[in-house]
Amino acid sequence: MSTATHEETLGFQTEVKQLLHLMINSLYSNREIFLRELISNGADACDKLRYQALDNDGLYEDDSELRIEIEHDAEAGTVTLRDNGIGMSRDDVIQNLGTIAKSGTAEFLKQLSGEQQKDAKLIGQFGVGFYSSFIVADEVTVRTRRADLPHDSGVEWHSQGAGEFTIADIERAARGTEIVLHLKEDAKEFADDFRLKSLVRKYSDHIEVPVRMPSVEKDDEGNETHGWETVNEATALWVRPKSEISEDEYKAFYKHVAHDFSDPLTWSHNKVEGKLEYTSLLFVPERAPFDLYERDGARGLKLYVQRVFIMDDAEQFLPLYLRFIKGVIDTKDLSLNVSRELLQQDPQVDKLKSALTKRALDMLKKLSKDEETYQTFWNTFGSVLKEGPAEDYANRDKIAELLRFATTHTDSSTQDQSLASYVERMKEGQQKIYYIVADSFNAAKHSPHLEIFRKKGIEVLLLSDRVDEWLMSHLTEYDGKAFVDIAKGDLDLGEIEDEDEKQAQEETAKAKEGLVKRVQESLGEEVQEVRITHRLTDSPACVVLPEHEMGFQMRRIMEAAGQKLPEVKPILELNPEHALVTRLETSDGDAFSDLSRILLDQAIIAEGGHLDDPAAYVKRLNELLTV
Ligand code: ADP
Ligand code: MG
């Protein structure tokens, strides 16, 4: 046996320590997943070797039969996993088994609260990986050698999962990795043949690499022969015919590719032959990954070319607004030596991308038939999908069908109404789809602009997500009906209003011309225009923006991002029926200018805007209240 040299004791990165601590305490009821994670790593390591061996046969070292082996020793209380995959160098080991490289990890760990159940779910989204060994083991030893390094470049890593690990150089003839778990007192149950076999079948049937366990066969005379038995199915799941794959197998496979704990909401498995040749298996997760909004968060599909694993996170096959979709693409249309750089230039990739985008949108469309499940999807990923119309103009009609909104029809803040259902409820003569954008649901719901719509019973979409105004600027129509922001431009309800109403409005406007002129003079530069409106029933005034002006929400976002925007002056609209407006008409001097100013400031506040000089507003208002 060799002796270890160059032994060092190193501390885990802080994030690893935190994760280990939380994981060990939170995942108690889900302990068996350690096996899935370790088999999954072994399978990844075999995939990587196979890929690198494409242009360097020597890596196989006369042992090209890739496999994972699992052994146990009930007496010693150990479980050992072994793979003959790519293995790790000393630096690899320090990097991979001592740190967490995912971006956003520190952020993620801050969200954990110490509440077991909640944390277990969050950790599931994060993906626990190798460190899950410590859920069942109080001592872990890893021995490994990288396929392209000499035998004396083996490495032994050892840790008790607390703050540190030791690492040493060893002699190791076999390439690949061996992990020995010394089971905790209360986890000894895993050192059991039956238990291990059933877990391998449960979690790893779909993995193409065979997972083997020792077997003993007795002949008629009672002589024993020891050998190996392949426990899993060992064919790549997506290659098998759909009809032969059970729901549970799809779900287990999802957990493997997505590093997720929960079941997927739905999936779509397709084999295509013809101009393009590919097999795709796409999943919609139930929960958002922790790095959904990270700039460099993991996204994309696992790419295979003719069944050979090429890379994880190939993000070239789906647009960004579908980045939550997980799965596999296996194609004959790319060459085996394709790289990330080459993918960007290959015209086949664009074709595959548009085909997969259609598949994904169709899958979501199908999911939307089940309203309850779709709502779960929408609540989690709706705001990502809303990036769609801007990113993917060609598919914007399909995306529009998938959008959900809060509206005045339901009065709940849940975004649960489709445009199709809005159109069904449209009033006789209504030709447009009306919406309002505000900073919060309540600001939208209580906006004065809605008053006339309430009175007439016309539904309005209530938009309050940060991306909503951006979204609407890329959606011009749905089902031939234009979208109209009711806080912009002149209000034209078209045929919903009859001729008599229109005439009455014109007459009022005429009668109030004098008032309008006085207010305009009094407010001067503060406003672009003053006019009489019929859109209000309860409020005395409101502000609107010119039709093609950027809305208030987008302005605030851009200003917050440090953009300097030219000032826009609002249009002030007055409700001629309101008592305050009548009072305005009969006042003059300071009383008139103060009240005009109060009406303008109030209208801005009701819109969610900020006053330049709020103290002056309060002072004017108090004076008015005390006369
Ligand atoms: P992930 O698999 O999501 O990358 P893990 O925590 O499971 O995260 O593993 C961390 C890294 O350790 C892997 O990315 C891989 O580089 C390395 N690793 C783990 N197990 C093995 C193995 N059996 N063979 C080679 N490398 C491994
Ligand atoms: Mg892993």
Side-chain angles (χ1 to χ4, degrees), residues 449 487 527 541-545 552 570-573 599-600 603-604 607:
H449 292 283
V527 291
C542 67
V543 283
V544 295
L545 285 176
F552 291 113
I571 299 165
L572 177 67
E573 294 195 345
L599 289 176
L600 172 63
I604 292 172
E607 216 63 54

Side-chain angles (χ1 to χ4, degrees), residues 348-407:
Q348 287 299 94
V349 173
D350 284 338
K351 287 183 199 149
L352 286 165
K353 179 177 179 179
S354 76
L356 292 180
T357 302
K358 290 230 160 57
R359 296 258 170 236
L361 293 173
D362 287 347
M363 163 170 68
L364 293 175
K365 175 88 187 176
K366 225 182 204 168
L367 183 69
S368 73
K369 306 256 150 62
D370 172 357
E371 277 179 34
E372 205 176 305
T373 315
Y374 193 73
Q375 197 63 49
T376 307
F377 160 76
W378 182 260
N379 294 343
T380 312
F381 298 113
S383 52
V384 179
L385 204 62
K386 283 178 181 178
E387 298 169 11
E391 189 187 354
D392 187 0
Y393 195 71
N395 281 311
R396 70 193 189 286
D397 291 342
K398 279 191 169 193
I399 302 166
E401 289 178 359
L402 297 171
L403 300 175
R404 294 295 178 270
F405 299 94
T407 83

Side-chain angles (χ1 to χ4, degrees), residues 41-42 44-45 48 83 86-88 96-97 128-130 177 259:
N41 285 349
D44 288 348
K48 282 181 202 159
D83 66 69
I86 190 73
M88 287 179 272
N96 296 332
L97 311 185
V128 285
F130 169 79
T177 306
H259 300 278

